[in-house]
Amino acid sequence: LSSFRRLAIQAIGATAVAAALSACGGGGSDSSTPAAPVVPVAPVTAKIMPLGASLTAGDDLVPSSFRSYRGYLYNQLIADKYLVDFVGTQKLTPEVGGDQDHEGYIGATIGTATPGENGGNNLYQKLPAIFAANSPDIIVLAFGWNSVLLDPTGAATKFENFVAAIRAAKPNAKLVTGTLHPQQGYAT
């Protein structure tokens, strides 16, 4: 894998998503032997919502442009035998294959409830419509640089408020997030 691809998978944390999948019964390989008889149940397909900005959306149709982490994450989870379905109103199949559904918006910021902030391209204001259309078991957050670069002193508070809004709207969903991915020219 290229350096970027490894970083993208690490930034999202396939292990963290796998842990969240196990917590909501999403399958996966398990070599342990149960201590007591287990009643068989139908496999559960976990609904995962990739939510974020450019790294989530990707620009996989333009050969020289940036790629989304979604295809790599999806392929890794399928290889690990998890039953997953990415959900979202945005559609773009990643270059490496995988599920096309996501909630990634190029140039989006975390935002606030302030109408029109960032020209309306802020995720906070999009949450009601996003959650009206989707009911995820797991939400993978991958964003931050747009918000940090536009408002370095307010980004942390906006992130806290954004997470609180997600928790209020989807209290049973597992939330997976990572640190900011490396950005050329900026210390992380």
Side-chain angles (χ1 to χ4, degrees):
L1 287 176
S2 73
S3 172
F4 171 77
R5 290 176 181 157
R6 278 193 301 274
L7 288 172
I9 291 171
Q10 291 169 357
I12 300 310
T15 302
V17 174
L21 279 165
S22 295
C24 51
S29 58
D30 184 3
S31 60
S32 64
T33 305
V38 176
V39 177
V41 295
V44 175
T45 299
K47 294 183 283 181
I48 300 175
M49 177 188 290
L51 174 62
S54 303
L55 185 60
T56 300
D59 194 10
D60 291 36
L61 297 177
V62 179
S64 63
S65 193
F66 58 93
R67 302 289 177 251
S68 171
Y69 69 86
R70 295 178 292 108
Y72 300 103
L73 177 61
Y74 181 86
N75 292 336
Q76 183 64 53
L77 293 171
I78 296 301
D80 289 345
K81 307 211 181 325
Y82 288 100
L83 302 173
V84 298
D85 178 28
F86 285 11
V87 297
T89 60
Q90 305 300 300
K91 312 281 186 215
L92 178 63
T93 302
E95 180 186 44
V96 298
D99 197 312
Q100 67 175 350
D101 301 326
H102 65 93
E103 288 295 343
Y105 300 87
I106 294 173
T109 60
I110 297 167
T112 65
T114 304
E117 183 181 349
N118 190 25
N121 193 18
N122 88 56
L123 295 170
Y124 192 99
Q125 291 177 15
K126 292 179 186 294
L127 283 180
I130 288 171
F131 290 142
N134 301 281
S135 186
D137 300 309
I138 300 169
I139 301 166
V140 178
L141 294 177
F143 62 92
W145 273 112
N146 296 334
S147 298
V148 169
L149 295 174
L150 289 173
D151 183 11
T153 59
T157 300
K158 287 180 181 180
F159 182 76
E160 289 172 7
N161 293 337
F162 186 69
V163 168
I166 291 172
R167 288 276 176 237
K170 295 292 179 188
N172 295 324
K174 307 287 184 226
L175 188 59
V176 177
T177 187
T179 60
L180 290 175
H181 63 282
Q183 182 83 342
Q184 188 173 3
Y186 296 94
T188 56

